[in-house]
Amino acid sequence: MHTETNHQHNSTERPRSSGPLSWMRQPLTPRVVTTGSLTSHVHSLAGPPEGGPVYVLLHGIGMSHRYFRRLQIVLSGHGDTHSIDLPGFGATPRPDRQLSISDYADVIAATLQKMGAGRMVVVGHSMGSQFATELAVRHPGMVSHVVLLGPVVDSARRTVRQQTLALGLDSLRESPVGNAIVFTDYVRAGMRWYLTELPVMMSYDLEGSLALVAQPVLVLRGSKDPVASRSWCGKLAATAPDGRYLEIPGKPHIVQHGAAEGTAAGIMALAAG
C-alpha cells in the first residue's frame, strides 16, 4: 500500500547517516488518525517504488513506535511500514475507559482502513501479539500474515508478580538504549493507564484465539527472553493452524530492537512464504 501522505513526505531520498545511533535520526511520517472517540498516532516509512508487502507494527503495554524503529527501517527497504501508537500510549490521548483486546483490534482495523490499507503483515510485540492475533481473528480480510514477537502472557506464569520479576530480569539483559526507550515510554504512558490495561493483558486467552487464526503465523523470540519462554512460544507455534517458530540467539525480550536484521529476515521469509 502507498498512501499519498507517505509519498508526499518521503519523496526525497532519506538520509543515510552513519554511526551506532543513526537509526534514531531516521525521519518518520507521522499521521494522527481518530476513530470514534479514540486517537492513534501512525508513524510510517514508505517502501520501494515497486511496492511489496505492507508491514504494520503493534507495540506492547506501556510502549510506543520508538522501540520498533530499527526494525521499521529494515522492513521499509522491502515494503511500506506503519508503526501505530495505540490510544493511551506514546503521546496519544488517554481513553476515558478501559479498552479490551477486541477494542484495540477494532481501533487498529478502523485506523488502517482510514489510511486506505489493504492486506498486511501484522507484527505484534509482547502485548502487541495479543492485538495482532485478535485483529487476524476479527478482521481476517485485512491480515495476510501474523508475527508474534516475545508473546505474552505465558500460561505457566499467569500472575502479575511473575511477569514483573521476568521484566525486571529482562532489564538486566537489554542494552542501555533499549532500557532508556522502555523506561521513558512507561513514564509517558503513566502508571494509571498501565494499571488500567494490565488486567486486560493478563486475562487474554492468546492460545484460544491463536487456534482460530487461519493466516500463516510466525512466533519469534530471543533466546535470552525471560518473559516469553521457549516452551511457551513453541506451544503457541504448535497451536496456530499454520504456525512456525524462530529463535534468535543471545537476544532478550525486545528482540526487534537488539536484532533488527534477524527479526526482519524472519518476517520477510514468512511473508514470502
Side-chain angles (χ1 to χ4, degrees):
M1 177 199 53
H2 294 275
T3 67
E4 289 184 9
T5 303
N6 289 344
H7 284 286
Q8 287 170 352
H9 289 270
N10 289 282
S11 57
T12 58
E13 184 177 351
R14 294 197 285 267
R16 299 295 177 184
S17 53
S18 59
L21 298 180
S22 60
W23 56 273
M24 296 178 71
R25 296 185 289 273
Q26 176 74 64
L28 305 177
T29 300
R31 182 170 175 178
V32 177
V33 182
T34 299
T35 58
S37 62
L38 300 172
T39 298
S40 300
H41 294 172
V42 185
H43 301 265
S44 303
L45 274 176
E50 63 270 20
V54 178
Y55 301 99
V56 174
L57 310 177
L58 305 175
H59 61 74
I61 190 168
M63 299 307 298
S64 75
H65 72 283
R66 296 194 308 151
Y67 74 163
F68 274 123
R69 186 171 292 201
R70 282 179 171 172
L71 176 63
Q72 188 171 6
I73 290 169
V74 179
L75 290 176
S76 71
H78 305 272
D80 287 355
T81 63
H82 305 291
S83 190
I84 304 177
D85 286 355
L86 293 165
F89 301 109
T92 65
R94 308 289 175 264
D96 58 6
R97 61 183 176 87
Q98 184 185 68
L99 299 183
S100 66
I101 301 300
S102 58
D103 287 334
Y104 277 114
D106 291 346
V107 166
I108 294 162
T111 297
L112 292 166
Q113 285 168 350
K114 275 197 169 186
M115 294 180 66
R119 284 169 64 81
M120 63 209 109
V121 180
V122 180
V123 182
H125 175 260
S126 202
M127 188 181 184
S129 64
Q130 301 179 351
F131 305 147
T133 299
E134 190 71 10
L135 180 68
V137 172
R138 293 175 68 85
H139 304 277
M142 298 186 70
V143 179
S144 64
H145 302 79
V146 179
V147 181
L148 310 183
L149 306 177
V152 296
V153 175
D154 191 331
S155 56
R157 292 181 292 185
R158 276 284 183 192
T159 69
V160 171
R161 180 177 180 275
Q162 287 171 313
Q163 289 298 306
T164 302
L165 289 172
L167 280 172
L169 177 59
D170 184 67
S171 69
L172 302 176
R173 301 176 178 179
E174 298 289 352
S175 69
V177 173
N179 276 328
I181 293 172
V182 170
F183 294 145
T184 53
D185 272 354
Y186 278 173
V187 170
R188 284 203 301 169
M191 189 57 66
R192 177 178 295 182
W193 186 244
Y194 183 95
L195 293 176
T196 297
E197 291 304 302
L198 183 60
V200 175
M201 181 187 81
M202 296 299 299
S203 62
Y204 183 71
D205 180 12
L206 182 57
E207 291 173 73
S209 297
L210 199 55
L212 305 176
V213 173
Q215 299 92 330
V217 173
L218 172 66
V219 181
L220 187 154
R221 72 180 288 270
S223 67
K224 292 187 176 181
D225 185 348
V227 178
S229 69
R230 178 177 295 161
S231 59
W232 160 245
C233 290
K235 184 178 182 181
L236 290 176
T239 297
D242 184 7
R244 61 221 70 191
Y245 172 75
L246 177 63
E247 185 172 284
I248 296 185
K251 297 302 175 182
H253 188 51
I254 313 177
V255 65
Q256 76 276 11
H257 177 78
E261 294 280 355
T263 301
I267 294 170
M268 290 186 291
L270 178 77

